[in-house]
Amino acid sequence: MTWREPVSLGRKLFSTFGIALYSVVYLALILTVLVKAKVVYVEWQGGFPPKITRKVTLPDYDAVERSRASQSKSAPASTNVTERTGSTYWTGFRGPLRDAHYTEQPILTAWPPGGPKVLWRQPIGGGYASFAIANGLAYTIEQRREKEVVAAYDMETGREVWSHSYVGKFEESMGGEGPRATPTWHDGKIYALGGEGDFHCLDALTGKVLWKRNILHDAKSSLLMFGTAYSPLIVEDKVILLPGGENGWSIVAYNKDTGEVLWHTQDDKTAYTSPVLVELAGQRQMLVVSATRVKGVAVEDGKLLWEFPWSVSYENSIAQPVLLGKDRLMLTGGYGKGSAAIQVTKEGDKFAAKELWRNKFLKNKFTSSIYHEGHVYGLDEDILVCLDAETGKRVWKDGRYDYGQILLASGHIIVLCGDGDLALVKATPEKWTEVARNPLLEGKTWNHPAISEGKLLVRNAVEMICLDLRIKP
């Protein structure tokens, strides 16, 4: 039967619906057969629905082991670990202020046709952590078979200088396996949080374990759907962690040198957002995003200073809060949430938080935005957006970058795209201007880039690469 035949409209619609339903079922059956035969694969790459791909982004553990065995036979990067020197600028997640601003030195923004020069590249274990960089070493945490591994790599060569492993494997169906939280370097020590709450303090030069805890066991807290994914924050003599336990165990401060519990406070279920040290409304404080609110807490004891309701449907907040000035910040979330700017004020010893604007122009899913010269730049799902920070008005929206990560350097946005491409976009409200985009990593790439002394480090669950963004004299 065709639509030209003289039959009723209802019969035509019913027949069309039946053909469409049959086609969907038929295609689903073919896809199921192809997936079972491992001709194609289904992979969650950030959006919905999942994508059909010929190759899933999985670590090649055999390749990692061959690489590290080969390195162990070569000459060590340094004969004396105490001789190491170098920058201690980018020592944790999203840089020194956790705002993804790189200001240590200017970078190259006129990229050659093939992209920035690759200094070295090599296989790496699974997971979504970024790097902390200090004294010529780059630190990350990764999955290698049934163990989590904290590793230190030489920035000049990529050679593994040391690694510390322990039995542990976090895995979920959408993101796969591996730890999520970027380690933090501070005063010669590495603080690394595994996917199931295992927390280690290690000597940064040797990898020797100084102390360890399981923060979920301490707090009697349960694991979130996507694991522990926030980075430790060092404040004075404390390392701040967010196990999200009840009975005053939502936020915990451990002594950074001994692991002793100094204090614990609040009762919120945690989110995936990392705590941040800021000065807001004239007071130094920590910004903490939990499952249902954002709050300012006192550095000394975790006392609640102010709060503002904030929750993201389906899962808890992932995006970092973005400071917009001395008394205001922006929150954003995916799954249809959008963004909101709030102002925090203080009168006497009392704080208050009020909403300034709210819209759905910018929905960070599992990336975070950047504030620069009165404007906010971020990925609305997978499209880059520029907002006026004062009003929330959308200035432009353009360019598809999948579900990647961004950082700001020399007035440009470096985008490590969700498909592994590396792009450079001008950070200007006038218009969207993509300066360059080149293929770099293969497969799904959700890890945040890191940069130190003009060298850009990127990774995903398969490979790590060091690129040269230094300006030559």
Side-chain angles (χ1 to χ4, degrees):
M1 187 188 73
T2 69
W3 274 78
R4 293 182 179 181
E5 294 183 29
V7 297
S8 68
L9 177 62
R11 185 177 176 185
K12 290 178 180 178
L13 291 172
F14 180 79
S15 298
T16 301
F17 175 77
I19 293 170
L21 181 61
Y22 173 81
S23 299
V24 170
V25 173
Y26 184 69
L27 288 173
L29 179 61
I30 291 175
L31 179 60
T32 300
V33 172
L34 291 174
V35 169
K36 286 188 175 181
K38 296 184 178 180
V39 176
V40 297
Y41 299 88
V42 177
E43 182 175 50
W44 289 96
Q45 296 184 359
F48 183 83
K51 291 186 177 181
I52 309 303
T53 178
R54 295 297 301 273
K55 185 178 181 181
V56 181
T57 311
L58 294 173
D60 184 340
Y61 294 127
D62 289 335
V64 174
E65 289 163 1
R66 287 194 300 269
S67 168
R68 303 309 182 262
S70 174
Q71 291 175 3
S72 67
K73 295 177 182 177
S74 64
S78 174
T79 56
N80 187 344
V81 293
T82 62
E83 294 177 355
R84 285 199 167 272
T85 60
S87 171
T88 55
Y89 175 81
W90 196 277
T91 55
F93 181 55
R94 301 184 81 227
L97 301 178
R98 298 198 164 178
D99 61 359
H101 282 232
Y102 178 69
T103 59
E104 184 184 28
Q105 65 186 54
I107 66 159
L108 180 71
T109 56
W111 292 2
K117 178 182 178 182
V118 173
L119 298 174
W120 51 263
R121 63 195 307 160
Q122 64 186 13
I124 195 171
Y128 300 111
S130 180
F131 297 91
I133 306 170
N135 294 327
L137 294 178
Y139 304 90
T140 193
I141 184 170
E142 58 196 84
Q143 193 71 39
R144 298 188 194 170
R145 301 196 189 275
E146 302 305 311
K147 293 182 178 181
E148 290 184 335
V149 176
V150 185
Y153 296 98
D154 180 69
M155 281 288 289
E156 293 294 325
T157 64
R159 177 185 176 273
E160 183 181 280
V161 176
W162 60 257
S163 65
H164 170 72
S165 64
Y166 53 92
V167 175
K169 185 177 184 180
F170 173 76
E171 187 172 9
E172 43 82 18
S173 60
M174 291 187 179
E177 63 188 41
R180 273 75 167 140
T182 303
T184 299
W185 179 94
H186 178 81
D187 195 24
K189 300 180 180 67
I190 285 293
Y191 300 85
L193 179 62
E196 297 178 308
D198 291 304
F199 185 67
H200 289 78
C201 173
L202 309 163
D203 183 280
L205 292 178
T206 65
K208 177 184 176 181
V209 177
L210 302 178
W211 58 267
K212 61 182 179 179
R213 312 282 300 233
N214 185 290
I215 65 169
L216 299 184
H217 294 169
D218 286 352
K220 296 180 174 60
S221 180
S222 58
L223 190 64
L224 295 180
M225 177 178 178
F226 298 118
T228 49
Y230 54 85
S231 291
L233 175 67
I234 308 298
V235 183
E236 298 167 351
D237 63 337
K238 299 174 280 292
V239 52
I240 307 298
L241 293 157
L242 312 175
E246 299 177 349
N247 302 314
W249 279 90
S250 179
I251 308 172
V252 179
Y254 295 96
N255 182 288
K256 67 182 181 65
D257 296 319
T258 66
E260 173 192 2
V261 175
L262 299 178
W263 51 257
H264 52 88
T265 185
Q266 311 293 319
D267 302 310
D268 307 49
K269 183 179 179 181
T270 193
Y272 302 102
T273 306
S274 300
V276 187
L277 182 66
V278 300
E279 184 167 315
L280 197 62
Q283 180 159 331
R284 187 167 171 260
Q285 56 190 275
M286 293 181 291
L287 276 183
V288 176
V289 181
S290 68
T292 59
R293 59 179 175 164
V294 59
K295 55 201 174 190
V297 299
V299 169
E300 297 77 18
D301 55 8
K303 176 185 176 183
L304 181 67
L305 303 177
W306 58 269
E307 61 180 325
F308 182 83
W310 184 259
S311 60
V312 176
S313 62
Y314 178 67
E315 255 304 317
N316 300 338
S317 293
I318 298 174
Q320 291 295 121
V322 180
L323 285 186
L324 304 179
K326 295 182 179 180
D327 64 350
R328 57 192 62 194
L329 63 138
M330 187 195 80
L331 304 165
T332 180
Y335 306 101
K337 181 67 175 183
S339 302
I342 64 174
Q343 183 179 38
V344 178
T345 56
K346 182 181 181 184
E347 291 188 10
D349 60 350
K350 301 293 184 181
F351 287 85
K354 69 174 183 179
E355 184 175 311
L356 298 175
W357 54 257
R358 183 184 293 253
N359 60 53
K360 295 185 182 295
F361 294 145
L362 178 57
K363 300 178 291 294
N364 287 163
K365 197 168 189 179
F366 42 83
T367 183
S368 298
S369 291
I370 292 168
Y371 174 77
H372 177 59
E373 296 182 350
H375 292 82
V376 176
Y377 300 87
L379 289 170
D380 178 39
E381 295 290 338
D382 61 344
I383 304 175
L384 194 61
V385 165
C386 173
L387 297 186
D388 184 303
E390 184 69 25
T391 65
K393 178 182 176 181
R394 187 169 64 198
V395 180
W396 53 254
K397 178 178 181 178
D398 214 332
R400 288 191 176 274
Y401 299 96
D402 294 290
Y403 290 82
Q405 304 286 343
I406 65 175
L407 64 82
L408 181 79
S410 296
H412 289 69
I413 301 166
I414 298 174
V415 188
L416 182 57
C417 307
D419 62 359
D421 285 0
L422 186 70
L424 189 68
V425 179
K426 288 185 178 180
T428 174
E430 277 69 39
K431 63 177 181 178
W432 168 78
T433 304
E434 184 178 83
V435 178
R437 180 167 179 165
N438 302 98
L440 184 62
L441 291 160
E442 184 178 348
K444 180 172 67 179
T445 301
W446 290 348
N447 308 62
H448 201 282
I451 184 169
S452 177
E453 297 184 288
K455 298 174 185 176
L456 183 71
L457 278 179
V458 299
R459 63 160 290 196
N460 59 12
V462 178
E463 190 175 29
M464 61 188 294
I465 302 175
C466 181
L467 299 121
D468 192 356
L469 294 183
R470 293 171 294 182
I471 298 175
K472 300 300 185 288

